[in-house]
Amino acid sequence: MSMSAARSVSGTRERLVVIGGDAAGMSAASQARRLRSAEELEIVAFERGHFTSFSACGIPYWVGGDVPDRDQLIARTPEEHRARDIDLRMRTEVKEIDVAGGRVRARDVDSGAESWTSYDKLVIATGARPIRPDMPGADAPGVHGVQTLDDGQALLDTLARTRGRRAVVVGAGYIGVEMAEALINRGYEVTVVNRGSEPMSTLDPDMGLLVHKAMEGLGITMVNDTEVTKILTGDDGRVRAVATEDAEYPADVVVLGIGVRPETALARAAGLPLGDHAGLLTDLAMRVRGHENIWAGGDCVEVLDLVSGRQRHIALGTHANKHGQVIGTNAAGGYATFPGVVGTAVSKVCDLEIARTGLREKDARRAGLRYVTATIESTSRAGYYPNASMMTVKMLAEHRTGRLLGVQIVGREGAGKRVDIAAVALTAGMTVEQMVSLDLGYAPPFSPVWDPVLVAARKAAKAVNAATS
């Protein structure tokens, strides 16, 4: 197909082009369609994969068997989007953004045909890509990253074909820990190789140690402070082991859980502004800085950390969906803003719940903040109530002012979602002393008389007073 800049816009109808068919992109398209009819606004969306509006966060639970059907992770199919007058073009990858010309060049993944599509308004929602280490064997059969439903299906296909039951997970962040659980559930012997001192680098090391002990209690072999140097293959070309400087770990399948980076190659080539983490920079309306009719959201952008005041890259579906709502409203002529985040996340490995919000100790130091810490152990319910379980809560508060800076929680049932109390307190700029007086719900099946978060706040308040007296 020859390239052309043919434009179907007629009269006053505008065209909104969306790059990326997952959470941020299709939330933006759907919100814009709710506010503007097809007669007023034409919406064209490009997605290079096979699926739209899916939950990447649910992939480990699908792989592990907790979610039996892939389609349960799909919030809205391409057909459903098209039924709402969104021209969704699947298996079509945008290869170039021509900012000056107001157009994008797209390529049909299957046929290779290319064409130009003009836009009045553009949304960039290209997501993030898994980090693949630059080492021998990283692309060998049996080595998998897990970011899309296609990735999850490829891993499941490998697990179905593989006779051996040895798995190595490289990395111990959220994806690494969750995939370790998924593979344990599939009956694999699992080794996690982690370059950090403890798993879950989003926690302070003392809290990560609790996760380490729990993972080993589940039969997972943890190898910390270790860098993978190469992935070894057999005579058939398939993965057979993961190598470090000191050892080899046999593997029939390898899952890369090293993390993700913003997918911003298109934006960089187009000269759009990127931050220190290679994510697109936007204003409060999610508009790309310096560009009146271009918005960006989801895993490809950097966001404002409301606690430290710095830009961060956080790849979470919660943020992406909110970004999409804001973008769709603004692109349709309305007004909405996304003020920033406090960095809340929750995960689990089997029955261990892991949660955090705000700053870690090293984040506070990097921001130039002086702080105190308080760590407590408490129970999820009244101690006399059946099945009460232990949890550890760590709290950071600013020296002198007592402003809450961060909270980390590790425990069993009932631990993880308690982090939401701290997320609200952080957003409101509360001090730990103010938190002590929060009127939280109480009954023996749900909490001790003093909720664990309030116990930690009380101890942190005492530490603040002691440090300033």
Side-chain angles (χ1 to χ4, degrees):
M1 181 185 296
S2 62
M3 295 186 188
S4 68
R7 186 180 177 86
S8 63
V9 178
S10 61
T12 60
R13 187 167 77 150
E14 294 181 310
R15 177 183 288 157
L16 172 66
V17 167
V18 178
I19 307 174
D22 197 13
M26 297 318 295
S27 290
S30 297
Q31 176 68 359
R33 175 56 72 231
R34 278 190 284 269
L35 298 177
R36 297 278 296 277
S37 69
E39 288 72 28
E40 299 173 301
L41 181 68
E42 179 187 5
I43 302 176
V44 179
F46 296 98
E47 168 53 44
R48 65 186 176 189
H50 292 91
F51 305 97
T52 59
S53 303
F54 62 87
S55 171
C57 298
I59 293 173
Y61 308 109
W62 167 41
V63 172
D66 295 314
V67 177
D69 187 350
R70 178 191 66 196
D71 290 349
Q72 291 178 265
L73 301 182
I74 300 173
R76 190 166 289 166
T77 65
E79 292 73 23
E80 289 172 318
H81 284 299
R82 291 172 184 138
R84 305 186 68 202
D85 291 318
I86 296 172
D87 181 2
L88 176 56
R89 304 177 188 180
M90 300 298 295
R91 301 286 291 158
T92 307
E93 181 177 11
V94 173
K95 304 295 288 184
E96 181 183 353
I97 301 171
D98 176 8
V99 174
R103 59 181 187 163
V104 300
R105 176 169 59 87
R107 176 180 180 273
D108 185 291
V109 174
D110 299 316
S111 71
E114 294 189 345
S115 63
W116 288 96
T117 301
S118 299
Y119 65 81
D120 298 293
K121 299 177 178 180
L122 178 67
V123 176
I124 302 173
T126 45
R129 66 183 185 278
I131 297 172
R132 275 194 174 264
D134 184 14
M135 67 176 68
D139 295 319
V143 180
H144 293 268
V146 184
Q147 180 72 7
T148 67
L149 293 187
D150 288 318
D151 295 334
Q153 188 63 60
L155 174 57
L156 283 172
D157 292 344
T158 292
L159 297 180
R161 293 192 303 263
T162 301
R163 293 184 179 180
R165 311 301 290 176
R166 299 167 301 181
V168 173
V169 177
V170 181
Y174 290 107
I175 292 296
V177 167
E178 290 167 357
M179 290 308 304
E181 175 187 356
L183 292 164
I184 283 283
N185 290 345
R186 288 279 178 181
Y188 278 73
E189 298 175 17
V190 179
T191 299
V192 177
V193 181
N194 174 39
R195 68 180 180 181
S197 60
E198 297 293 351
M200 300 298 293
S201 62
T202 53
L203 304 177
D204 287 322
D206 54 338
M207 297 296 282
L209 177 60
L210 302 177
V211 180
H212 179 168
K213 291 178 177 178
M215 291 176 71
E216 288 188 331
L218 296 168
I220 298 169
T221 300
M222 283 298 308
V223 182
N224 290 320
D225 288 317
T226 303
E227 193 88 36
V228 173
T229 57
K230 66 178 69 172
I231 296 173
L232 305 176
T233 57
D235 294 338
D236 58 358
R238 292 185 53 79
V239 62
R240 67 171 179 84
V242 168
T244 67
E245 287 187 359
D246 304 316
E248 291 183 10
Y249 300 93
D252 302 298
V253 62
V254 172
V255 176
L256 302 175
I258 305 171
V260 298
R261 291 194 180 103
E263 182 62 271
T264 50
L266 268 178
R268 183 186 298 276
L272 299 177
L274 305 182
D276 293 340
H277 306 282
L280 276 156
L281 296 176
T282 68
D283 61 18
L284 292 177
M286 303 307 299
R287 183 180 284 106
V288 173
R289 294 181 188 177
H291 296 271
E292 184 67 23
N293 292 316
I294 303 177
W295 290 262
D299 294 353
C300 66
V301 305
E302 296 184 13
V303 292
L304 175 65
D305 185 315
L306 297 173
V307 186
S308 69
R310 297 179 170 217
Q311 294 294 126
R312 295 180 61 184
H313 177 247
I314 303 178
L316 282 176
T318 51
H319 301 163
N321 279 282
K322 292 170 187 173
H323 294 169
Q325 289 288 306
V326 169
I327 291 168
T329 298
N330 292 323
Y335 175 70
T337 61
F338 182 81
V341 303
V342 294
T344 308
V346 64
S347 186
K348 77 178 189 74
V349 53
C350 294
D351 66 339
L352 184 75
E353 300 180 4
I354 308 158
R356 56 96 64 204
T357 189
L359 307 183
R360 300 163 295 179
E361 291 194 47
K362 68 178 181 181
D363 299 325
R365 289 193 295 269
R366 190 179 296 124
L369 296 169
R370 293 181 63 190
Y371 61 91
V372 300
T373 68
T375 302
I376 64 98
E377 290 186 350
S378 185
T379 55
S380 58
R381 302 180 172 99
Y384 55 80
Y385 195 85
N387 299 318
S389 59
M390 296 300 298
M391 73 178 73
T392 302
V393 181
K394 180 176 181 178
M395 189 168 287
L396 276 68
E398 188 176 14
H399 177 79
R400 191 174 62 79
T401 69
R403 176 172 66 109
L404 179 68
L405 296 179
V407 172
Q408 299 163 42
I409 304 174
V410 176
R412 260 60 189 189
E413 182 185 2
K417 287 295 285 180
R418 274 185 162 88
V419 79
D420 291 340
I421 303 169
V424 173
L426 281 168
T427 304
M430 295 179 69
T431 67
V432 288
E433 189 168 353
Q434 289 172 327
M435 289 182 67
V436 173
S437 299
L438 285 173
D439 185 12
L440 304 183
Y442 161 70
F446 303 107
S447 171
V449 172
W450 279 90
D451 188 89
V453 173
L454 301 190
V455 175
R458 186 169 61 181
K459 186 173 181 180
K462 290 180 179 178
V464 170
N465 291 333
T468 56
S469 62

